[in-house]
């Protein structure tokens, strides 16, 4: 009786990628318009987050109140 080792199951190692199947899946993914819409939204959100980080807050807001001047004082 011949022994079959787990690493030779199916003629391939379990951790070895099947490049043909991966290429077929990526081909289907690249032709799906939803993929490009989601990718565009992710890029836009990333650019907006980067703009917010680079813009910063501009410093603290003024903490002293502005009092009305003479024509508006009672």
């Amino acid at each position: 009786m011949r022994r079959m080792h787990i690493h030779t199951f199916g003629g391939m190692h379990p951790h070895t990628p099947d490049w043909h199947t991966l290429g077929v899946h990526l081909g289907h993914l690249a032709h799906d318009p939803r993929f490009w819409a989601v990718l565009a939204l992710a890029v836009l959100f990333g650019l907006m987050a980067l703009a917010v980080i680079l813009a910063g807050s501009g410093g603290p807001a003024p903490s002293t109140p502005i009092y009305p001047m003479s024509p508006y004082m009672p």
Side-chain angles (χ1 to χ4, degrees):
M1 185 159 106
R2 188 173 155 210
R3 295 174 121 190
M4 180 178 277
H5 297 284
I6 190 68
H7 68 274
T8 60
F9 180 73
M12 288 186 67
H13 292 281
H15 60 272
T16 304
D18 183 8
W19 294 110
H20 175 72
T21 306
L22 182 65
V24 169
H25 286 302
L26 289 177
H28 288 286
L29 186 65
H31 287 93
D32 189 3
R34 292 175 295 180
F35 168 74
W36 295 109
V38 169
L39 184 67
L41 283 174
V43 168
L44 286 175
F45 282 132
L47 288 174
M48 286 192 296
L50 183 66
V52 166
I53 290 170
L54 292 178
S57 66
S63 60
T64 56
I66 300 173
Y67 295 106
M69 298 307 282
S70 62
Y72 303 110
M73 290 178 64

